[in-house]
Amino acid sequence: MSMPTTMQAATRGRWAVAGIFLANGFLTGSWAPQIPVFLTRLDISKFTLGLLILLFGVGAVIAMTWCGHLISRHGSRTVTRLFGICGSFGLLIVALAPNVPLAAIAMLIFGGSIGGMDVAMNSNAVVVERRLSRAIMSSSHGFWSLGGFAGGALGGYTIESYGYLSHAIMVTVIAFAVVAIAINYLVAEERPRAVEHRKFTLPRHATVYLVGLMALLTMISEGAVLDWAALFLHQELGADLAIAGLAYAAFSGVMALMRFLGDGVRNRFGAVATLRGSALIAAAGMLVAGLSPSPYLAIAAFAFCGFGIANMVPIIFSAGGNQEGMSSGTGMSVVTTMGYSGILVAPSAIGFVAERSSFGPIFIALSGLLVVVLLMAGLAYRAEFAAEPLAAE
């Protein structure tokens, strides 16, 4: 295979995995506007809804835990294809569920397919980075954010105009079409590298768990802004609901923009330096938000935090997927599972603490967690990739 052809295949693989990220974000974002319909359609309480949403998380974590084993044996391309196709139908299965027991099973399946797809696509992005010898992880996550924005923005209008089931069908058709095209151009590892993982075992290297801890601390902070920033502005800073809603909008908008710019920054300054700078900016933004006496200053601070936090998870994921002595899927499985566990557990814990104090001190404490990531940033040196030959197609 000639060099131009190899690079062309790697470039196509880069856009293919971006398509998978886009589809995953679109499916996840499209679920949010379905939640109110889900509640009324099944005639359930908010508590029951919370348990069903928790099952989504349980399914995701189970799939993430096992996905590394599957990638070790079959490669990230094959597993991305499998979970990508299955994930396309996840929202439709939930929308078709007629009662709570079947909805519970549907949520487990939906969460599992999205979670498995998440590990596989991140692992494949690491493979592409090795082929191209440059970063693509941040912009890949930018495509996820773009898909999530599109799914959330279009969902409410579509459900109101055409109904929840028509919306679910439309989402399925779009996601499946994107996945069906993208999976034809995904690149593969030269061979699954962790041949010793014939049975499911946890990695023995301590470093991968420390990288996972960085993901956990970072994603706790990201999830806290998602779930609690608006309530903080509304209840404690006196903002009306329209202004309060701008907190996460500013955070996520700046974060999405920076993810598309982040690869260039990382390619120029290196993964460790970029992570240190990003963590410092994110910690400063979170600290100012927690101390802010004004909702407008808090919104600006959350936007500044999004500026920093945008590229932290992509760099940490790249480090997880490049751990020595294990396949990209095995390392990615540990790091993503630990990271997303933070988003699952942190919201309820933060709510429990906030009931007994206030949100300001919580955001100040979260800035401290981001400082811990800053101090641990040297562990991300494995995010620097070495080029590898492209597998024969």
Side-chain angles (χ1 to χ4, degrees):
M1 184 180 290
S2 64
M3 182 60 67
T5 303
T6 297
M7 291 307 298
Q8 287 170 3
T11 301
R12 286 197 302 267
R14 182 261 177 281
W15 294 111
V17 77
I20 301 295
F21 272 85
L22 183 74
N24 186 283
F26 183 65
L27 287 160
T28 305
S30 297
W31 159 239
Q34 283 270 351
I35 292 175
V37 181
F38 192 63
L39 182 74
T40 56
R41 181 170 66 84
L42 296 180
D43 192 24
I44 55 178
S45 67
K46 290 181 180 177
F47 176 76
T48 304
L49 174 63
L51 291 178
L52 289 171
I53 292 175
L54 182 61
L55 286 176
F56 177 96
V58 170
V61 169
I62 292 172
M64 286 175 173
T65 303
W66 278 93
C67 201
H69 171 65
L70 294 175
I71 294 171
S72 297
R73 297 192 64 182
H74 304 291
S76 64
R77 179 172 64 177
T78 299
V79 180
T80 302
R81 286 171 171 172
L82 171 65
F83 279 106
I85 292 171
C86 293
S88 300
F89 294 92
L91 183 65
L92 182 60
I93 293 171
V94 172
L96 289 171
N99 53 51
V100 172
L102 290 177
I105 296 172
M107 289 295 285
L108 272 171
I109 294 172
F110 186 26
S113 61
I114 291 296
M117 188 178 174
D118 198 294
V119 174
M121 70 191 188
N122 276 285
S123 298
N124 195 256
V126 170
V127 176
V128 175
E129 287 187 326
R130 295 187 193 129
R131 302 298 180 265
L132 296 175
S133 293
R134 61 181 174 85
I136 63 120
M137 187 68 82
S138 289
S139 58
S140 296
H141 281 255
F143 279 103
W144 187 93
S145 298
L146 186 64
F149 175 79
L154 298 175
Y157 171 78
T158 307
I159 291 171
E160 189 174 278
S161 301
Y162 303 104
Y164 76 93
L165 190 56
S166 296
H167 168 254
I169 293 171
M170 180 202 74
V171 169
T172 302
V173 170
I174 293 173
F176 181 79
V178 172
V179 169
I181 293 170
I183 60 176
N184 292 304
Y185 301 101
L186 294 171
V187 299
E189 297 90 340
E190 186 177 9
R191 64 182 60 84
R193 296 193 304 165
V195 294
E196 72 274 12
H197 285 126
R198 294 300 181 185
K199 59 182 181 179
F200 176 73
T201 56
L202 291 173
R204 297 177 182 176
H205 301 75
T207 305
V208 73
Y209 297 103
L210 293 175
V211 173
L213 177 62
M214 289 197 293
L216 174 67
L217 299 179
T218 302
M219 296 181 78
I220 284 174
S221 300
E222 183 177 340
V225 179
L226 167 64
D227 291 307
W228 299 112
L231 201 60
F232 169 54
L233 265 67
H234 180 58
Q235 289 188 350
E236 298 183 19
L237 300 183
D240 60 37
L241 290 176
I243 298 299
L246 294 176
Y248 184 68
F251 175 83
S252 60
V254 171
M255 185 166 64
L257 175 63
M258 278 308 300
R259 281 179 166 171
F260 283 112
L261 300 175
D263 289 329
V265 175
R266 178 179 153 194
N267 286 325
R268 179 172 180 179
F269 297 104
V272 173
T274 303
L275 180 58
R276 283 178 176 148
S278 297
L280 180 61
I281 291 169
M286 195 73 83
L287 178 63
V288 172
L291 294 172
S292 176
S294 158
Y296 295 101
L297 177 59
I299 290 169
F302 282 127
F304 193 67
C305 183
F307 180 90
I309 216 167
N311 294 304
M312 293 174 66
V313 168
I315 290 171
I316 292 168
F317 279 11
S318 286
N322 278 300
Q323 290 298 301
E324 190 173 0
M326 65 186 73
S327 72
S328 63
T330 300
M332 191 67 69
S333 176
V334 171
V335 173
T336 52
T337 301
M338 291 181 68
Y340 283 104
S341 293
I343 287 183
L344 291 174
V345 175
S348 57
I350 289 172
F352 177 80
V353 174
E355 283 183 0
R356 287 153 180 80
S357 60
S358 60
F359 286 110
I362 291 173
F363 287 118
I364 294 171
L366 290 174
S367 72
L369 298 186
L370 292 168
V371 170
V372 174
V373 178
L374 167 64
L375 297 175
M376 297 175 67
L379 294 171
Y381 76 96
R382 293 295 306 179
E384 306 294 359
F385 30 78
E388 292 182 3
L390 189 67
E393 299 296 329

PDB file of all heavy atoms in Angstrom, residues 113-126:
ATOM      1  N   SER A 113     -25.941   0.433  24.803  1.00  0.00           N
ATOM      2  CA  SER A 113     -25.505   0.659  23.421  1.00  0.00           C
ATOM      3  C   SER A 113     -24.774   1.995  23.281  1.00  0.00           C
ATOM      4  O   SER A 113     -23.749   2.082  22.590  1.00  0.00           O
ATOM      5  CB  SER A 113     -26.701   0.597  22.463  1.00  0.00           C
ATOM      6  OG  SER A 113     -27.651   1.603  22.762  1.00  0.00           O
ATOM      7  N   ILE A 114     -25.273   3.035  23.968  1.00  0.00           N
ATOM      8  CA  ILE A 114     -24.609   4.337  23.904  1.00  0.00           C
ATOM      9  C   ILE A 114     -23.267   4.285  24.632  1.00  0.00           C
ATOM     10  O   ILE A 114     -22.255   4.834  24.162  1.00  0.00           O
ATOM     11  CB  ILE A 114     -25.516   5.426  24.517  1.00  0.00           C
ATOM     12  CG1 ILE A 114     -26.744   5.662  23.630  1.00  0.00           C
ATOM     13  CG2 ILE A 114     -24.751   6.735  24.712  1.00  0.00           C
ATOM     14  CD1 ILE A 114     -26.441   6.219  22.259  1.00  0.00           C
ATOM     15  N   GLY A 115     -23.223   3.603  25.803  1.00  0.00           N
ATOM     16  CA  GLY A 115     -21.979   3.498  26.550  1.00  0.00           C
ATOM     17  C   GLY A 115     -20.912   2.712  25.805  1.00  0.00           C
ATOM     18  O   GLY A 115     -19.745   3.116  25.751  1.00  0.00           O
ATOM     19  N   GLY A 116     -21.313   1.569  25.230  1.00  0.00           N
ATOM     20  CA  GLY A 116     -20.369   0.787  24.447  1.00  0.00           C
ATOM     21  C   GLY A 116     -19.872   1.531  23.227  1.00  0.00           C
ATOM     22  O   GLY A 116     -18.679   1.486  22.884  1.00  0.00           O
ATOM     23  N   MET A 117     -20.783   2.232  22.570  1.00  0.00           N
ATOM     24  CA  MET A 117     -20.425   3.053  21.415  1.00  0.00           C
ATOM     25  C   MET A 117     -19.417   4.122  21.812  1.00  0.00           C
ATOM     26  O   MET A 117     -18.468   4.417  21.076  1.00  0.00           O
ATOM     27  CB  MET A 117     -21.708   3.684  20.856  1.00  0.00           C
ATOM     28  CG  MET A 117     -21.600   4.416  19.547  1.00  0.00           C
ATOM     29  SD  MET A 117     -23.268   4.997  19.084  1.00  0.00           S
ATOM     30  CE  MET A 117     -22.877   5.974  17.636  1.00  0.00           C
ATOM     31  N   ASP A 118     -19.593   4.684  23.015  1.00  0.00           N
ATOM     32  CA  ASP A 118     -18.712   5.736  23.510  1.00  0.00           C
ATOM     33  C   ASP A 118     -17.283   5.238  23.678  1.00  0.00           C
ATOM     34  O   ASP A 118     -16.326   5.878  23.215  1.00  0.00           O
ATOM     35  CB  ASP A 118     -19.257   6.256  24.849  1.00  0.00           C
ATOM     36  CG  ASP A 118     -18.684   7.610  25.228  1.00  0.00           C
ATOM     37  OD1 ASP A 118     -17.473   7.659  25.486  1.00  0.00           O
ATOM     38  OD2 ASP A 118     -19.443   8.591  25.257  1.00  0.00           O
ATOM     39  N   VAL A 119     -17.108   4.102  24.339  1.00  0.00           N
ATOM     40  CA  VAL A 119     -15.763   3.544  24.523  1.00  0.00           C
ATOM     41  C   VAL A 119     -15.143   3.190  23.179  1.00  0.00           C
ATOM     42  O   VAL A 119     -13.967   3.502  22.910  1.00  0.00           O
ATOM     43  CB  VAL A 119     -15.805   2.299  25.425  1.00  0.00           C
ATOM     44  CG1 VAL A 119     -14.429   1.641  25.502  1.00  0.00           C
ATOM     45  CG2 VAL A 119     -16.277   2.658  26.825  1.00  0.00           C
ATOM     46  N   ALA A 120     -15.911   2.544  22.321  1.00  0.00           N
ATOM     47  CA  ALA A 120     -15.378   2.077  21.045  1.00  0.00           C
ATOM     48  C   ALA A 120     -14.949   3.233  20.150  1.00  0.00           C
ATOM     49  O   ALA A 120     -13.879   3.201  19.531  1.00  0.00           O
ATOM     50  CB  ALA A 120     -16.426   1.208  20.336  1.00  0.00           C
ATOM     51  N   MET A 121     -15.780   4.287  20.093  1.00  0.00           N
ATOM     52  CA  MET A 121     -15.442   5.400  19.199  1.00  0.00           C
ATOM     53  C   MET A 121     -14.233   6.177  19.733  1.00  0.00           C
ATOM     54  O   MET A 121     -13.388   6.632  18.948  1.00  0.00           O
ATOM     55  CB  MET A 121     -16.644   6.317  18.986  1.00  0.00           C
ATOM     56  CG  MET A 121     -17.075   7.144  20.171  1.00  0.00           C
ATOM     57  SD  MET A 121     -18.675   7.944  19.892  1.00  0.00           S
ATOM     58  CE  MET A 121     -18.758   9.013  21.363  1.00  0.00           C
ATOM     59  N   ASN A 122     -14.123   6.326  21.061  1.00  0.00           N
ATOM     60  CA  ASN A 122     -12.944   6.978  21.621  1.00  0.00           C
ATOM     61  C   ASN A 122     -11.688   6.154  21.376  1.00  0.00           C
ATOM     62  O   ASN A 122     -10.617   6.700  21.086  1.00  0.00           O
ATOM     63  CB  ASN A 122     -13.146   7.225  23.118  1.00  0.00           C
ATOM     64  CG  ASN A 122     -13.914   8.495  23.425  1.00  0.00           C
ATOM     65  OD1 ASN A 122     -13.379   9.595  23.311  1.00  0.00           O
ATOM     66  ND2 ASN A 122     -15.182   8.353  23.802  1.00  0.00           N
ATOM     67  N   SER A 123     -11.808   4.834  21.474  1.00  0.00           N
ATOM     68  CA  SER A 123     -10.672   3.959  21.196  1.00  0.00           C
ATOM     69  C   SER A 123     -10.245   4.068  19.742  1.00  0.00           C
ATOM     70  O   SER A 123      -9.051   4.106  19.425  1.00  0.00           O
ATOM     71  CB  SER A 123     -11.039   2.509  21.522  1.00  0.00           C
ATOM     72  OG  SER A 123     -11.348   2.356  22.880  1.00  0.00           O
ATOM     73  N   ASN A 124     -11.222   4.135  18.846  1.00  0.00           N
ATOM     74  CA  ASN A 124     -10.900   4.261  17.434  1.00  0.00           C
ATOM     75  C   ASN A 124     -10.274   5.613  17.123  1.00  0.00           C
ATOM     76  O   ASN A 124      -9.390   5.713  16.262  1.00  0.00           O
ATOM     77  CB  ASN A 124     -12.148   4.037  16.579  1.00  0.00           C
ATOM     78  CG  ASN A 124     -11.813   3.802  15.121  1.00  0.00           C
ATOM     79  OD1 ASN A 124     -11.984   4.686  14.293  1.00  0.00           O
ATOM     80  ND2 ASN A 124     -11.331   2.607  14.811  1.00  0.00           N
ATOM     81  N   ALA A 125     -10.707   6.655  17.846  1.00  0.00           N
ATOM     82  CA  ALA A 125     -10.090   7.968  17.660  1.00  0.00           C
ATOM     83  C   ALA A 125      -8.612   7.933  18.051  1.00  0.00           C
ATOM     84  O   ALA A 125      -7.775   8.587  17.414  1.00  0.00           O
ATOM     85  CB  ALA A 125     -10.834   9.025  18.475  1.00  0.00           C
ATOM     86  N   VAL A 126      -8.267   7.162  19.082  1.00  0.00           N
ATOM     87  CA  VAL A 126      -6.860   6.993  19.469  1.00  0.00           C
ATOM     88  C   VAL A 126      -6.084   6.320  18.342  1.00  0.00           C
ATOM     89  O   VAL A 126      -4.947   6.705  18.025  1.00  0.00           O
ATOM     90  CB  VAL A 126      -6.753   6.179  20.775  1.00  0.00           C
ATOM     91  CG1 VAL A 126      -5.306   5.793  21.051  1.00  0.00           C
ATOM     92  CG2 VAL A 126      -7.314   6.976  21.949  1.00  0.00           C
TER      93      VAL A 126
END
